[in-house]
Amino acid sequence: MARDNFEACMAIVAHHEGGWSNHPSDPGGATMCGVTQRVYDEFRRRGGQTPKSVKFSTEAERGAIYREQYWDKIRGDELPAGLDLVVFDYAVNSGPPRAVKALQAALGLKIDGQLGMLTVRAAQEAAATGHSRVVIDKIMDSRDAFLRGLGTFGVFGVGWMRRTKDVRFRAQVMATKERRDEKSLVMRAADASAFNPDEMSTPPQPARTARQ
């Protein structure tokens, strides 16, 4: 799709991830705004920096992690609006491979967890034919079922369901807006192609009233 919806999607994800957390029941362990200590350590190591607590990570560092580790891995800039959000948020919450598999299943493709051009084109085709909303619902239904099956659902389930409900709604809004914008562009293009400049030189005709 060659457009950047990262900032809009990131704002939604950040809203749900919150701030500092180190819940004993969370297998991710210490987390700051959704970035785990393990992921942060790897990020700093790749940059030649010494490890430090993720609690003291900067917003710029976390933004780079979200883009490199999640958005780029699910090829967010190439996915249609709405689909980019649900796959991105799923990837942040449960890892890119699981999110990509959910997208592939919803599109009726071979499920391998690798987001290649076949998957990208299928997602774009779904958007072009007005089926993004259906695919979004399939992904979110699958995600909800997965979350309900986790052993920690009793602890985090309410928050997870609140999050997926909001992400589903916001993704549907994004998809609807993109579809409406595309239709508007098509209509304007059709109007422009039908325009005949010769008609502008036709002398105006006198107005007629009902009495004539």
Side-chain angles (χ1 to χ4, degrees):
M1 300 299 285
R3 89 284 180 269
D4 190 347
N5 201 29
F6 173 73
E7 293 299 335
C9 292
M10 185 66 247
I12 295 169
V13 171
H15 168 73
H16 287 290
E17 286 294 347
W20 167 252
S21 175
N22 194 11
H23 197 288
S25 297
D26 187 349
T31 304
M32 183 64 182
C33 299
V35 176
T36 66
Q37 185 67 57
R38 179 185 61 79
V39 169
Y40 185 54
D41 286 344
E42 292 176 358
F43 172 77
R44 288 184 63 82
R45 191 176 298 114
R46 288 195 305 274
Q49 299 172 299
T50 58
K52 72 175 183 179
S53 172
V54 69
K55 187 174 185 179
F56 303 108
S57 60
T58 67
E59 184 176 351
E61 287 178 318
R62 294 191 297 272
I65 289 170
Y66 273 115
R67 183 178 280 278
E68 295 170 11
Q69 296 296 307
Y70 303 102
W71 183 262
D72 289 346
K73 286 189 176 181
I74 59 101
R75 301 175 72 157
D77 286 340
E78 298 174 76
L79 294 179
L83 282 175
D84 54 2
L85 172 59
V86 296
V87 179
F88 178 51
D89 190 66
Y90 200 170
V92 169
N93 217 198
S94 304
R98 184 176 296 280
V100 171
K101 288 178 180 178
L103 171 63
Q104 291 170 332
L107 291 168
L109 303 175
K110 176 183 176 182
I111 302 172
D112 60 11
Q114 303 298 314
L115 210 163
M117 279 310 302
L118 180 63
T119 303
V120 169
R121 287 177 183 142
Q124 293 174 349
E125 177 65 21
T129 55
H131 292 101
S132 279
R133 292 172 59 105
V134 174
V135 178
I136 287 169
D137 277 339
K138 286 182 178 180
I139 293 172
M140 297 309 297
D141 288 346
S142 172
R143 182 179 177 183
D144 284 350
F146 166 70
L147 292 173
R148 291 181 185 280
L150 294 178
T152 51
F153 186 81
V155 179
F156 302 111
V158 172
W160 287 341
M161 292 299 101
R162 184 185 302 116
R163 175 176 182 158
T164 58
K165 180 180 180 180
D166 181 62
V167 168
R168 183 193 297 254
F169 170 76
R170 291 174 183 268
Q172 294 286 15
V173 170
M174 285 182 177
T176 300
K177 182 179 183 302
E178 181 170 78
R179 180 67 173 164
R180 186 184 300 121
D181 290 346
E182 288 178 351
K183 285 184 176 180
S184 178
L185 286 173
V186 170
M187 291 177 65
R188 285 201 293 270
D191 289 343
S193 64
F195 173 69
N196 184 357
D198 292 337
E199 293 178 353
M200 298 300 293
S201 61
T202 302
Q205 299 299 313
R208 294 180 178 272
T209 68
R211 290 191 297 273
Q212 293 178 313

